[in-house]
Amino acid sequence: GFVPEILDVSILDSVIMVPERDAIETARKCAKVDGIPIGISSGAALHAALNLAKKEEYLLDAFREDIVYGLDKGEMLLND
């Protein structure tokens, strides 16, 4: 996958690969259901977070708080 030159991978705990189709679908669903237009990269981040949240070890941690940043606006999906 794409790795930006400025990304310091040594600080990452893990990487979750998300198929482009899933990223686009999640971005569109976020816009349709929640009214929040996000782009494909934010769709990928949200898709990964939602899948992580379903895992048992995350469900058992009552004090866990996760944040997903969406830094794009979804303009690429407007004409599809």
Side-chain angles (χ1 to χ4, degrees), residues 67-79:
I67 298 171
V68 176
Y69 287 98
L71 302 175
D72 49 12
K73 300 179 209 158
E75 292 101 349
M76 290 177 60
L77 301 175
L78 291 176
N79 292 327

Side-chain angles (χ1 to χ4, degrees), residues 6-67:
I6 62 169
L7 177 61
D8 181 2
V9 295
S10 69
I11 65 170
L12 301 178
D13 293 327
S14 65
V15 174
I16 300 171
M17 300 296 290
V18 175
E20 184 177 2
R21 179 177 8 154
D22 292 338
I24 292 170
E25 183 179 309
T26 303
R28 286 183 175 152
K29 186 174 181 181
C30 186
K32 184 176 182 179
V33 174
D34 299 314
I36 303 170
I38 61 174
I40 297 170
S41 59
S42 296
L46 182 56
H47 181 82
L50 291 170
N51 283 336
L52 275 177
K54 294 176 187 175
K55 292 189 174 187
E56 186 173 345
E57 61 267 23
Y58 286 88
L59 295 174
L60 296 176
D61 186 352
F63 299 103
R64 183 177 186 88
E65 293 183 12
D66 295 310
I67 298 171

